Amino acid sequence: MNINRAYHEQIISQYAQALLETRDKKTYPNIAKTLNRSHDEIYRFIDNASQSIDLAQEELVSLAKTELTEGATYFLGDDSFFEKMFSNEIEGVELGFDGSTKQILKGMRFVTALLTDAIKKIPIYADIVVSKLLGGTHYKSKSDILREIFLWTMKKIKIDRVIADAHYVSAVFFQEIIDLGSNFLMKISRSRRVTINRKTGQLRNLL
């Protein structure tokens, strides 16, 4: 078991590096080509999917610790839509807005996070966004998902600033960022209720 885990950890380090170095689509054949290994070996390596994901995330954060040396470390949160127009049996595929094409398409949306020092960028995490209908009692908003990713990352590396758009704004998230010694740069809707200099109201009326 220890031998298998040691082998798995050795390959995951190379796999994480290959994800960053593969310029074409991140398919098994292309990743295998980058690693100079057979794609059958990559398939076997991914058999234990949950362990592979956990180890890859750990390895990417470790890589960030050694590579992001140019000052502050920024945590960037965003989401990506993966079109699956011809998929009929993949759980999680739903209709959604694709920002790149400005169309409603069938696909899957992921909240993604990367670390950067404004020079190098290292992706560290991705988690699927599931609708309220499909998620039921386990539903998480995009803000909830990014908040969990941030808290997980903050245990492993110091983050100086969180950068994300208005979809991820929440009072709870803001407070946790501040409590953990970081700060944030996020767009806030002008209609949102905020407190500035002890006055509370819509942002548009306080500025």
Side-chain angles (χ1 to χ4, degrees), residues 1-197:
M1 185 67 156
N2 290 335
I3 294 175
N4 288 337
R5 179 174 176 81
Y7 170 77
H8 206 81
E9 289 178 342
Q10 178 186 9
I11 299 300
I12 197 70
S13 176
Q14 298 174 26
Y15 175 73
Q17 190 69 33
L19 288 175
L20 300 177
E21 293 180 356
T22 301
R23 295 183 179 275
D24 298 323
K25 289 185 177 180
K26 306 300 191 289
T27 60
Y28 288 153
N30 288 338
I31 291 172
K33 183 178 179 181
T34 300
L35 290 173
N36 195 27
R37 294 175 179 271
S38 70
H39 68 271
D40 287 337
E41 186 176 1
I42 302 300
Y43 278 122
R44 289 195 298 271
F45 156 68
I46 297 297
D47 276 347
N48 189 337
S50 61
Q51 184 184 24
S52 299
I53 292 170
D54 292 343
L55 289 173
Q57 291 165 345
E58 295 280 356
E59 184 64 30
L60 288 166
V61 172
S62 295
L63 186 64
K65 288 179 181 179
T66 58
E67 293 293 327
L68 304 182
T69 58
E70 300 298 324
T73 298
Y74 302 97
F75 174 96
L76 273 64
D78 203 352
D79 59 272
S80 298
F81 187 82
F82 294 87
E83 180 186 341
K84 295 288 182 181
M85 287 298 293
F86 305 103
S87 301
N88 297 314
E89 299 181 1
I90 300 178
E91 187 175 13
V93 171
E94 302 173 277
L95 290 177
F97 180 74
D98 182 6
S100 61
T101 62
K102 310 300 181 185
Q103 294 179 325
I104 302 295
L105 300 172
K106 187 166 67 171
M108 306 174 76
R109 187 174 302 282
F110 289 82
V111 171
T112 61
L114 66 81
L115 295 174
T116 179
D117 58 3
I119 297 177
K120 298 176 182 177
K121 300 176 182 179
I122 300 179
I124 57 165
Y125 212 112
D127 201 358
I128 189 170
V129 179
V130 178
S131 69
K132 290 182 180 179
L133 179 63
L134 185 61
T137 58
H138 300 288
Y139 169 74
K140 296 178 184 178
S141 68
K142 291 198 292 185
S143 179
D144 293 333
I145 294 172
L146 189 66
R147 175 173 155 265
E148 290 181 358
I149 296 173
F150 166 75
L151 294 174
W152 176 86
T153 308
M154 202 59 170
K155 293 177 182 177
K156 304 175 184 302
I157 186 172
K158 183 180 182 300
I159 296 170
D160 297 291
R161 176 169 293 176
V162 177
I163 301 174
D165 64 25
H167 297 296
Y168 303 98
V169 172
S170 76
V172 173
F173 193 10
F174 282 174
Q175 192 60 56
E176 287 178 330
I177 292 171
I178 294 169
D179 290 345
L180 290 171
S182 187
N183 59 58
F184 56 84
L185 177 61
M186 295 186 189
K187 179 180 178 181
I188 300 177
S189 168
R190 289 175 56 81
S191 62
R192 191 176 186 88
R193 286 181 61 82
V194 297
T195 300
I196 300 177
N197 294 331

